[in-house]
Amino acid sequence: MLKRLLATTLAYGLGLSVASAETISMWVRTGIGDSFKEVVKAYNAAGEDKVELTEVPFSELVQKYATAIAGGQAPDALSLDLIYTPAFAAAGQLEDLSEWAKSLPYFSSLSPSHVKLGTYEDKIYGLPLSVETSIFAWNKELYRKAGLDPEKAPKTWGEITANAEKIRALGGDTYGFYFSGGGCGGCMIFTFTPLVWGAGADILSPDSKKATLDTPEMRKAVDIYRNLVAKDTVPAGSASDNGVNFLTFTNGKIGQQSIGAFAIGTLVTQHPEIDFGVTLIPGVDGKPSSFAGGDNFVVTKGTPKLEAVKKFLEFTYSMEGQKIMAKYGSLPTRGDIAGEVLEGLDPRLKVGIEAIAVAKTPYTLQFNDLINSSNGPWATFINAAIYGDDVDGAFSNAQSEMQSIIDAGQ
Protein backbone atom coordinates (compact mmCIF):
# COMPACT_ATOMS: atom_id res chain seq x y z
CA MET A 1 0.00 0.00 0.00
CA LEU A 2 2.86 2.40 0.94
CA LYS A 3 4.75 1.59 -2.27
CA ARG A 4 1.62 2.32 -4.30
CA LEU A 5 1.11 5.65 -2.52
CA LEU A 6 4.75 6.66 -3.07
CA ALA A 7 4.57 5.72 -6.75
CA THR A 8 1.45 7.80 -7.22
CA THR A 9 2.97 10.78 -5.38
CA LEU A 10 6.16 10.55 -7.45
CA ALA A 11 4.17 10.37 -10.68
CA TYR A 12 2.28 13.53 -9.85
CA GLY A 13 5.55 15.21 -8.81
CA LEU A 14 7.04 14.46 -12.22
CA GLY A 15 3.95 15.72 -14.00
CA LEU A 16 2.88 12.26 -15.19
CA SER A 17 -0.76 11.39 -15.73
CA VAL A 18 -2.20 8.80 -13.37
CA ALA A 19 -5.51 7.24 -14.38
CA SER A 20 -8.00 7.12 -11.56
CA ALA A 21 -10.00 3.99 -10.92
CA GLU A 22 -13.44 3.97 -12.47
CA THR A 23 -16.66 2.57 -11.06
CA ILE A 24 -18.87 1.29 -13.86
CA SER A 25 -22.60 1.19 -13.19
CA MET A 26 -24.32 -1.76 -14.85
CA TRP A 27 -27.85 -3.10 -14.75
CA VAL A 28 -28.72 -6.77 -15.15
CA ARG A 29 -32.02 -8.58 -15.03
CA THR A 30 -33.00 -10.37 -11.85
CA GLY A 31 -32.23 -14.05 -12.20
CA ILE A 32 -29.23 -13.55 -14.46
CA GLY A 33 -27.56 -16.29 -12.43
CA ASP A 34 -24.23 -16.70 -10.71
CA SER A 35 -22.05 -16.93 -13.82
CA PHE A 36 -21.91 -13.22 -14.62
CA LYS A 37 -21.94 -12.19 -10.96
CA GLU A 38 -18.86 -14.34 -10.39
CA VAL A 39 -17.08 -12.70 -13.34
CA VAL A 40 -17.82 -9.29 -11.84
CA LYS A 41 -16.57 -10.48 -8.45
CA ALA A 42 -13.30 -11.70 -9.99
CA TYR A 43 -12.84 -8.48 -11.96
CA ASN A 44 -13.48 -6.30 -8.93
CA ALA A 45 -10.97 -8.31 -6.90
CA ALA A 46 -8.24 -8.19 -9.56
CA GLY A 47 -8.16 -4.60 -10.79
CA GLU A 48 -8.57 -1.02 -9.74
CA ASP A 49 -11.74 -0.46 -11.77
CA LYS A 50 -14.96 -1.76 -10.28
CA VAL A 51 -18.29 -2.85 -11.70
CA GLU A 52 -21.33 -2.01 -9.59
CA LEU A 53 -24.25 -4.31 -10.45
CA THR A 54 -27.88 -3.43 -9.96
CA GLU A 55 -30.48 -6.15 -10.48
CA VAL A 56 -33.77 -5.06 -12.04
CA PRO A 57 -36.82 -7.36 -12.38
CA PHE A 58 -36.84 -8.86 -15.87
CA SER A 59 -40.37 -7.63 -16.60
CA GLU A 60 -39.36 -4.06 -15.72
CA LEU A 61 -35.87 -3.83 -17.17
CA VAL A 62 -36.65 -2.62 -20.70
CA GLN A 63 -39.11 0.07 -19.59
CA LYS A 64 -36.93 1.18 -16.68
CA TYR A 65 -33.89 1.51 -18.94
CA ALA A 66 -35.85 3.56 -21.48
CA THR A 67 -37.11 5.83 -18.69
CA ALA A 68 -33.61 6.20 -17.24
CA ILE A 69 -32.20 7.17 -20.63
CA ALA A 70 -34.89 9.83 -21.06
CA GLY A 71 -34.10 11.20 -17.60
CA GLY A 72 -30.34 11.14 -18.01
CA GLN A 73 -29.99 8.55 -15.25
CA ALA A 74 -29.08 5.47 -17.27
CA PRO A 75 -26.28 3.12 -16.18
CA ASP A 76 -23.03 2.98 -18.14
CA ALA A 77 -23.78 -0.52 -19.38
CA LEU A 78 -26.61 -3.01 -19.48
CA SER A 79 -27.16 -6.73 -19.91
CA LEU A 80 -30.03 -6.59 -22.40
CA ASP A 81 -32.05 -9.47 -23.79
CA LEU A 82 -30.59 -9.65 -27.30
CA ILE A 83 -34.02 -9.48 -28.94
CA TYR A 84 -34.44 -5.88 -27.74
CA THR A 85 -31.03 -4.66 -28.95
CA PRO A 86 -32.22 -3.54 -32.42
CA ALA A 87 -34.98 -1.34 -30.98
CA PHE A 88 -32.67 0.55 -28.61
CA ALA A 89 -30.03 0.86 -31.34
CA ALA A 90 -32.62 2.25 -33.77
CA ALA A 91 -33.64 4.82 -31.16
CA GLY A 92 -30.06 6.12 -31.03
CA GLN A 93 -29.65 5.23 -27.36
CA LEU A 94 -26.64 2.91 -27.54
CA GLU A 95 -22.95 3.49 -28.11
CA ASP A 96 -21.53 2.45 -31.49
CA LEU A 97 -18.94 -0.25 -30.73
CA SER A 98 -18.15 -1.16 -34.33
CA GLU A 99 -14.51 -0.10 -34.65
CA TRP A 100 -13.44 -1.52 -31.31
CA ALA A 101 -15.47 -4.73 -31.70
CA LYS A 102 -14.00 -5.50 -35.12
CA SER A 103 -10.49 -4.95 -33.77
CA LEU A 104 -10.88 -7.79 -31.27
CA PRO A 105 -8.82 -10.76 -32.55
CA TYR A 106 -11.66 -13.15 -31.64
CA PHE A 107 -14.51 -11.03 -33.04
CA SER A 108 -15.36 -13.55 -35.77
CA SER A 109 -15.77 -16.32 -33.17
CA LEU A 110 -18.38 -14.50 -31.08
CA SER A 111 -21.92 -15.92 -31.13
CA PRO A 112 -23.19 -14.93 -34.62
CA SER A 113 -26.85 -14.52 -33.64
CA HIS A 114 -25.91 -12.14 -30.85
CA VAL A 115 -23.72 -10.06 -33.15
CA LYS A 116 -26.48 -10.00 -35.78
CA LEU A 117 -29.08 -8.81 -33.26
CA GLY A 118 -26.53 -6.32 -31.94
CA THR A 119 -26.13 -4.79 -35.40
CA TYR A 120 -28.30 -2.00 -36.78
CA GLU A 121 -27.70 -0.34 -40.16
CA ASP A 122 -24.28 -2.03 -40.38
CA LYS A 123 -23.08 -0.68 -37.03
CA ILE A 124 -22.50 -2.82 -33.95
CA TYR A 125 -24.27 -1.73 -30.78
CA GLY A 126 -24.36 -4.98 -28.80
CA LEU A 127 -22.02 -7.91 -28.21
CA PRO A 128 -22.76 -11.30 -26.62
CA LEU A 129 -22.69 -11.50 -22.86
CA SER A 130 -24.62 -14.67 -22.13
CA VAL A 131 -25.52 -17.31 -24.70
CA GLU A 132 -28.49 -19.63 -24.46
CA THR A 133 -29.58 -22.23 -26.99
CA SER A 134 -32.52 -24.61 -27.27
CA ILE A 135 -31.78 -28.33 -27.42
CA PHE A 136 -33.64 -31.65 -27.28
CA ALA A 137 -33.52 -33.86 -24.18
CA TRP A 138 -34.61 -37.44 -23.54
CA ASN A 139 -34.97 -39.45 -20.35
CA LYS A 140 -32.73 -42.51 -20.70
CA GLU A 141 -34.44 -44.46 -17.91
CA LEU A 142 -37.84 -44.07 -19.56
CA TYR A 143 -36.29 -45.08 -22.88
CA ARG A 144 -35.04 -48.28 -21.22
CA LYS A 145 -38.41 -49.05 -19.68
CA ALA A 146 -40.10 -48.53 -23.04
CA GLY A 147 -37.68 -50.90 -24.78
CA LEU A 148 -35.83 -48.11 -26.59
CA ASP A 149 -32.08 -47.68 -26.95
CA PRO A 150 -31.22 -45.13 -24.24
CA GLU A 151 -28.00 -44.10 -25.98
CA LYS A 152 -29.58 -43.43 -29.37
CA ALA A 153 -30.53 -39.80 -29.89
CA PRO A 154 -33.61 -39.39 -32.10
CA LYS A 155 -32.82 -37.61 -35.36
CA THR A 156 -36.30 -37.13 -36.83
CA TRP A 157 -39.76 -36.23 -35.57
CA GLY A 158 -40.97 -39.59 -36.82
CA GLU A 159 -38.62 -41.24 -34.31
CA ILE A 160 -39.59 -38.80 -31.58
CA THR A 161 -43.30 -39.49 -32.13
CA ALA A 162 -42.83 -43.27 -32.17
CA ASN A 163 -40.73 -43.07 -29.01
CA ALA A 164 -43.31 -40.86 -27.35
CA GLU A 165 -46.04 -43.43 -28.00
CA LYS A 166 -43.97 -46.25 -26.50
CA ILE A 167 -43.18 -44.19 -23.42
CA ARG A 168 -46.84 -43.21 -22.98
CA ALA A 169 -47.73 -46.91 -23.15
CA LEU A 170 -45.94 -47.30 -19.82
CA GLY A 171 -49.14 -45.81 -18.41
CA GLY A 172 -50.04 -43.68 -15.43
CA ASP A 173 -48.70 -40.15 -15.38
CA THR A 174 -45.73 -40.96 -17.60
CA TYR A 175 -45.83 -39.09 -20.91
CA GLY A 176 -43.73 -39.17 -24.04
CA PHE A 177 -43.40 -35.44 -24.76
CA TYR A 178 -43.99 -31.98 -23.28
CA PHE A 179 -44.15 -28.33 -24.33
CA SER A 180 -45.57 -25.12 -22.84
CA GLY A 181 -48.45 -24.44 -25.23
CA GLY A 182 -50.65 -22.14 -23.16
CA GLY A 183 -49.83 -18.73 -24.57
CA CYS A 184 -46.11 -18.78 -23.79
CA GLY A 185 -44.85 -17.13 -26.96
CA GLY A 186 -41.29 -16.97 -25.64
CA CYS A 187 -41.26 -20.67 -24.80
CA MET A 188 -42.48 -21.71 -28.22
CA ILE A 189 -40.30 -19.40 -30.30
CA PHE A 190 -37.45 -20.96 -28.33
CA THR A 191 -38.36 -24.62 -28.77
CA PHE A 192 -40.83 -24.90 -31.67
CA THR A 193 -39.51 -22.57 -34.37
CA PRO A 194 -36.31 -24.65 -34.83
CA LEU A 195 -38.51 -27.26 -36.54
CA VAL A 196 -39.14 -24.70 -39.27
CA TRP A 197 -35.72 -23.05 -39.34
CA GLY A 198 -33.99 -26.39 -39.79
CA ALA A 199 -35.99 -26.88 -43.00
CA GLY A 200 -34.97 -23.47 -44.33
CA ALA A 201 -38.22 -21.56 -43.69
CA ASP A 202 -38.91 -18.69 -41.31
CA ILE A 203 -41.79 -16.75 -39.76
CA LEU A 204 -40.47 -13.39 -41.00
CA SER A 205 -38.87 -12.31 -44.28
CA PRO A 206 -35.12 -11.54 -44.22
CA ASP A 207 -35.83 -7.80 -43.97
CA SER A 208 -38.49 -8.43 -41.27
CA LYS A 209 -41.06 -6.50 -43.30
CA LYS A 210 -43.29 -9.45 -44.15
CA ALA A 211 -44.88 -12.14 -42.03
CA THR A 212 -44.10 -15.53 -43.58
CA LEU A 213 -45.87 -17.72 -41.05
CA ASP A 214 -48.01 -19.77 -43.43
CA THR A 215 -45.49 -22.07 -45.11
CA PRO A 216 -45.52 -25.82 -45.87
CA GLU A 217 -42.76 -26.22 -43.26
CA MET A 218 -44.78 -24.53 -40.50
CA ARG A 219 -47.83 -26.59 -41.41
CA LYS A 220 -45.73 -29.76 -41.09
CA ALA A 221 -44.46 -28.60 -37.70
CA VAL A 222 -48.00 -27.90 -36.49
CA ASP A 223 -49.13 -31.31 -37.74
CA ILE A 224 -46.30 -33.00 -35.80
CA TYR A 225 -47.34 -31.35 -32.54
CA ARG A 226 -51.07 -31.89 -33.16
CA ASN A 227 -50.34 -35.56 -33.72
CA LEU A 228 -48.37 -35.80 -30.47
CA VAL A 229 -51.33 -34.25 -28.63
CA ALA A 230 -53.89 -36.43 -30.41
CA LYS A 231 -52.00 -39.59 -29.47
CA ASP A 232 -52.17 -38.58 -25.79
CA THR A 233 -48.38 -38.40 -25.50
CA VAL A 234 -48.56 -34.88 -24.01
CA PRO A 235 -50.08 -34.08 -20.57
CA ALA A 236 -53.33 -32.10 -20.75
CA GLY A 237 -51.77 -29.35 -18.61
CA SER A 238 -49.55 -28.40 -21.52
CA ALA A 239 -52.46 -26.56 -23.16
CA SER A 240 -52.66 -24.03 -20.31
CA ASP A 241 -48.97 -23.85 -19.36
CA ASN A 242 -47.88 -20.23 -19.79
CA GLY A 243 -44.26 -21.10 -19.07
CA VAL A 244 -44.49 -21.70 -15.34
CA ASN A 245 -43.90 -25.42 -15.91
CA PHE A 246 -41.42 -25.05 -18.75
CA LEU A 247 -39.02 -27.49 -17.09
CA THR A 248 -41.57 -30.25 -16.54
CA PHE A 249 -38.91 -32.64 -17.85
CA THR A 250 -37.25 -32.39 -14.43
CA ASN A 251 -40.11 -34.31 -12.77
CA GLY A 252 -38.73 -37.53 -14.27
CA LYS A 253 -42.03 -38.51 -15.87
CA ILE A 254 -41.55 -36.89 -19.27
CA GLY A 255 -39.74 -38.93 -21.89
CA GLN A 256 -38.71 -36.14 -24.24
CA GLN A 257 -38.76 -32.35 -24.35
CA SER A 258 -37.07 -29.45 -26.12
CA ILE A 259 -35.45 -27.36 -23.40
CA GLY A 260 -32.72 -24.76 -22.93
CA ALA A 261 -29.06 -25.67 -22.56
CA PHE A 262 -29.22 -23.92 -19.18
CA ALA A 263 -31.32 -26.86 -17.96
CA ILE A 264 -28.33 -29.19 -18.26
CA GLY A 265 -26.82 -27.56 -15.19
CA THR A 266 -30.18 -27.60 -13.42
CA LEU A 267 -30.63 -31.31 -14.09
CA VAL A 268 -27.09 -32.21 -13.07
CA THR A 269 -27.08 -30.23 -9.81
CA GLN A 270 -30.71 -30.39 -8.70
CA HIS A 271 -31.94 -33.65 -10.27
CA PRO A 272 -29.00 -36.06 -10.27
CA GLU A 273 -31.49 -38.94 -10.21
CA ILE A 274 -32.49 -38.25 -13.83
CA ASP A 275 -30.35 -40.00 -16.42
CA PHE A 276 -30.70 -37.94 -19.58
CA GLY A 277 -29.22 -37.32 -23.00
CA VAL A 278 -29.27 -34.21 -25.16
CA THR A 279 -29.03 -33.56 -28.88
CA LEU A 280 -29.91 -30.88 -31.42
CA ILE A 281 -33.58 -30.20 -32.21
CA PRO A 282 -34.45 -31.77 -35.59
CA GLY A 283 -36.25 -29.71 -38.19
CA VAL A 284 -39.30 -31.11 -39.96
CA ASP A 285 -36.95 -32.54 -42.59
CA GLY A 286 -34.40 -33.79 -40.07
CA LYS A 287 -31.89 -30.94 -40.36
CA PRO A 288 -31.26 -29.44 -36.91
CA SER A 289 -31.64 -25.89 -35.70
CA SER A 290 -31.90 -23.96 -32.46
CA PHE A 291 -32.95 -20.62 -31.00
CA ALA A 292 -30.09 -18.41 -29.86
CA GLY A 293 -31.16 -16.51 -26.78
CA GLY A 294 -29.43 -14.79 -23.91
CA ASP A 295 -28.22 -11.27 -23.34
CA ASN A 296 -26.19 -8.72 -25.25
CA PHE A 297 -23.80 -6.34 -23.54
CA VAL A 298 -24.76 -2.79 -24.54
CA VAL A 299 -23.33 0.59 -23.57
CA THR A 300 -25.42 3.70 -23.00
CA LYS A 301 -24.66 6.37 -25.57
CA GLY A 302 -22.53 9.18 -24.19
CA THR A 303 -21.17 7.41 -21.12
CA PRO A 304 -17.87 8.99 -20.03
CA LYS A 305 -16.63 5.57 -18.95
CA LEU A 306 -16.56 3.88 -22.35
CA GLU A 307 -12.89 2.83 -22.15
CA ALA A 308 -13.37 1.30 -18.70
CA VAL A 309 -16.44 -0.57 -19.96
CA LYS A 310 -14.46 -1.98 -22.90
CA LYS A 311 -11.71 -3.11 -20.54
CA PHE A 312 -14.24 -5.00 -18.42
CA LEU A 313 -15.85 -6.68 -21.42
CA GLU A 314 -12.41 -7.78 -22.65
CA PHE A 315 -11.88 -9.45 -19.27
CA THR A 316 -15.24 -11.21 -19.64
CA TYR A 317 -14.07 -12.51 -23.04
CA SER A 318 -10.68 -13.62 -21.71
CA MET A 319 -9.96 -17.28 -20.99
CA GLU A 320 -10.29 -16.55 -17.27
CA GLY A 321 -13.62 -14.79 -17.68
CA GLN A 322 -15.04 -17.43 -20.00
CA LYS A 323 -14.01 -20.25 -17.65
CA ILE A 324 -15.69 -18.54 -14.73
CA MET A 325 -18.89 -18.13 -16.75
CA ALA A 326 -18.84 -21.79 -17.81
CA LYS A 327 -18.09 -23.06 -14.32
CA TYR A 328 -21.30 -21.45 -13.11
CA GLY A 329 -23.47 -22.74 -15.97
CA SER A 330 -23.16 -20.28 -18.86
CA LEU A 331 -22.14 -21.35 -22.37
CA PRO A 332 -18.97 -19.74 -23.74
CA THR A 333 -19.57 -16.73 -26.00
CA ARG A 334 -16.30 -17.35 -27.85
CA GLY A 335 -16.36 -20.33 -30.19
CA ASP A 336 -12.57 -20.34 -30.72
CA ILE A 337 -11.86 -21.35 -27.12
CA ALA A 338 -15.11 -23.14 -26.27
CA GLY A 339 -13.50 -26.59 -26.16
CA GLU A 340 -10.84 -25.48 -23.70
CA VAL A 341 -13.32 -23.51 -21.62
CA LEU A 342 -15.61 -26.54 -21.22
CA GLU A 343 -12.79 -28.97 -20.47
CA GLY A 344 -13.56 -30.94 -17.32
CA LEU A 345 -17.22 -29.87 -17.27
CA ASP A 346 -20.28 -31.96 -18.18
CA PRO A 347 -19.73 -33.15 -21.79
CA ARG A 348 -23.42 -32.60 -22.57
CA LEU A 349 -22.75 -28.85 -22.53
CA LYS A 350 -20.97 -29.30 -25.86
CA VAL A 351 -24.36 -29.89 -27.50
CA GLY A 352 -25.33 -26.38 -26.42
CA ILE A 353 -22.21 -25.07 -28.16
CA GLU A 354 -22.95 -27.09 -31.31
CA ALA A 355 -26.40 -25.49 -31.36
CA ILE A 356 -24.89 -21.99 -31.65
CA ALA A 357 -23.66 -22.78 -35.16
CA VAL A 358 -27.17 -23.64 -36.42
CA ALA A 359 -29.14 -21.25 -34.21
CA LYS A 360 -31.28 -18.31 -35.32
CA THR A 361 -33.08 -15.41 -33.67
CA PRO A 362 -35.83 -13.33 -35.30
CA TYR A 363 -34.55 -9.83 -36.09
CA THR A 364 -37.32 -7.31 -35.58
CA LEU A 365 -37.90 -4.03 -33.74
CA GLN A 366 -41.33 -5.38 -32.74
CA PHE A 367 -40.35 -8.64 -31.09
CA ASN A 368 -42.48 -8.12 -28.00
CA ASP A 369 -45.69 -7.29 -29.87
CA LEU A 370 -45.21 -10.05 -32.43
CA ILE A 371 -43.73 -12.86 -30.32
CA ASN A 372 -43.41 -12.41 -26.57
CA SER A 373 -46.78 -10.91 -25.69
CA SER A 374 -49.14 -13.52 -24.27
CA ASN A 375 -51.95 -11.89 -26.26
CA GLY A 376 -49.86 -11.41 -29.39
CA PRO A 377 -50.34 -13.21 -32.71
CA TRP A 378 -47.58 -15.79 -32.23
CA ALA A 379 -48.70 -16.99 -28.80
CA THR A 380 -52.34 -17.02 -29.86
CA PHE A 381 -51.48 -18.89 -33.05
CA ILE A 382 -49.53 -21.63 -31.29
CA ASN A 383 -52.38 -22.48 -28.96
CA ALA A 384 -55.09 -22.29 -31.63
CA ALA A 385 -53.18 -24.18 -34.31
CA ILE A 386 -52.04 -27.03 -32.08
CA TYR A 387 -55.10 -27.44 -29.83
CA GLY A 388 -57.92 -25.88 -31.83
CA ASP A 389 -60.24 -27.24 -34.51
CA ASP A 390 -59.65 -24.55 -37.14
CA VAL A 391 -56.01 -24.80 -38.23
CA ASP A 392 -56.56 -22.80 -41.43
CA GLY A 393 -58.25 -20.05 -39.44
CA ALA A 394 -55.37 -19.99 -36.94
CA PHE A 395 -52.85 -19.52 -39.76
CA SER A 396 -54.93 -16.88 -41.51
CA ASN A 397 -55.60 -14.84 -38.37
CA ALA A 398 -52.01 -14.92 -37.15
CA GLN A 399 -50.54 -14.13 -40.56
CA SER A 400 -52.86 -11.14 -40.92
CA GLU A 401 -52.30 -9.81 -37.39
CA MET A 402 -48.52 -10.15 -37.62
CA GLN A 403 -48.49 -8.22 -40.89
CA SER A 404 -50.66 -5.48 -39.40
CA ILE A 405 -48.25 -5.04 -36.49
CA ILE A 406 -45.27 -4.95 -38.86
CA ASP A 407 -46.97 -2.40 -41.16
CA ALA A 408 -47.92 -0.17 -38.24
CA GLY A 409 -44.30 -0.02 -37.16
CA GLN A 410 -42.89 1.01 -40.56
Side-chain angles (χ1 to χ4, degrees):
M1 181 71 178
L2 180 60
K3 286 182 179 180
R4 186 172 173 184
L5 179 61
L6 289 172
T8 302
T9 303
L10 179 60
Y12 276 119
L14 295 175
L16 300 177
S17 173
V18 178
S20 59
E22 297 273 21
T23 297
I24 302 163
S25 62
M26 182 172 180
W27 288 2
V28 298
R29 57 182 170 79
T30 299
I32 193 170
D34 292 333
S35 57
F36 185 62
K37 292 179 184 177
E38 290 295 328
V39 167
V40 170
K41 189 184 298 184
Y43 185 76
N44 287 348
E48 292 187 1
D49 292 346
K50 306 293 181 188
V51 176
E52 187 176 84
L53 286 186
T54 298
E55 290 190 63
V56 179
F58 178 71
S59 60
E60 301 173 14
L61 183 60
V62 171
Q63 183 58 51
K64 188 170 182 178
Y65 184 53
T67 302
I69 290 173
Q73 302 294 318
D76 300 305
L78 180 77
S79 177
L80 180 67
D81 191 322
L82 80 164
I83 62 175
Y84 296 118
T85 314
F88 279 99
Q93 296 166 329
L94 304 179
E95 196 70 43
D96 179 2
L97 305 174
S98 304
E99 186 176 349
W100 169 72
K102 292 178 180 178
S103 74
L104 297 172
Y106 44 80
F107 173 71
S108 62
S109 75
L110 295 175
S111 171
S113 286
H114 285 64
V115 175
K116 178 182 177 182
L117 269 290
T119 302
Y120 177 71
E121 294 186 342
D122 298 323
K123 293 182 179 180
I124 300 169
Y125 296 92
L127 291 170
L129 179 62
S130 64
V131 177
E132 187 52 66
T133 54
S134 50
I135 56 175
F136 185 87
W138 74 94
N139 184 312
K140 291 186 177 182
E141 181 58 28
L142 292 181
Y143 263 45
R144 291 188 191 96
K145 289 182 178 179
L148 300 167
D149 183 350
E151 302 306 321
K152 183 185 179 184
K155 296 184 181 299
T156 69
W157 282 94
E159 288 182 66
I160 292 168
T161 301
N163 294 351
E165 290 184 81
K166 290 180 179 178
I167 293 167
R168 180 64 184 125
L170 295 173
D173 56 358
T174 299
Y175 286 85
F177 191 69
Y178 190 82
F179 62 95
S180 300
C184 184
C187 304
M188 295 299 280
I189 197 76
F190 189 59
T191 60
F192 182 67
T193 333
L195 277 72
V196 174
W197 287 336
D202 208 335
I203 63 172
L204 296 172
S205 62
D207 63 4
S208 301
K209 292 182 178 180
K210 287 187 177 181
T212 56
L213 187 69
D214 195 350
T215 61
E217 292 82 3
M218 180 59 80
R219 290 204 173 239
K220 286 181 184 178
V222 166
D223 284 346
I224 287 168
Y225 269 50
R226 285 181 66 88
N227 190 38
L228 285 163
V229 171
K231 291 179 179 293
D232 191 37
T233 67
V234 181
S238 164
S240 58
D241 180 11
N242 63 0
V244 174
N245 297 315
F246 179 72
L247 285 183
T248 292
F249 185 80
T250 59
N251 70 13
K253 296 178 180 181
I254 299 296
Q256 305 165 118
Q257 186 181 345
S258 292
I259 58 175
F262 70 88
I264 295 174
T266 302
L267 284 160
V268 170
T269 59
Q270 299 180 29
H271 301 277
E273 74 283 359
I274 297 179
D275 184 12
F276 70 99
V278 292
T279 189
L280 299 178
I281 300 173
V284 294
D285 63 353
K287 295 176 183 176
S289 187
S290 174
F291 182 99
D295 285 11
N296 263 343
F297 189 101
V298 300
V299 183
T300 303
K301 188 175 181 61
T303 175
K305 300 176 182 178
L306 180 59
E307 294 309 311
V309 171
K310 290 177 181 177
K311 182 180 171 184
F312 167 63
L313 189 52
E314 287 184 25
F315 173 78
T316 303
Y317 287 153
S318 70
M319 181 66 75
E320 180 183 357
Q322 292 285 284
K323 282 193 171 183
I324 293 172
M325 294 276 282
K327 179 182 177 182
Y328 289 91
S330 183
L331 295 175
T333 51
R334 283 180 56 184
D336 60 325
I337 59 174
E340 188 174 350
V341 168
L342 293 177
E343 192 173 334
L345 299 178
D346 194 296
R348 287 169 289 201
L349 288 169
K350 292 180 180 178
V351 174
I353 291 296
E354 291 172 18
I356 293 175
V358 295
K360 295 186 69 172
T361 313
Y363 187 106
T364 171
L365 305 185
Q366 300 150 299
F367 194 98
N368 191 64
D369 291 340
L370 289 170
I371 309 296
N372 266 358
S373 172
S374 59
N375 297 315
W378 170 252
T380 304
F381 162 75
I382 285 296
N383 191 267
I386 295 174
Y387 293 102
D389 297 325
D390 185 5
V391 176
D392 288 336
F395 270 97
S396 177
N397 292 338
Q399 175 79 22
S400 176
E401 189 177 347
M402 288 180 75
Q403 192 60 54
S404 294
I405 291 172
I406 293 169
D407 292 343
Q410 300 301 318

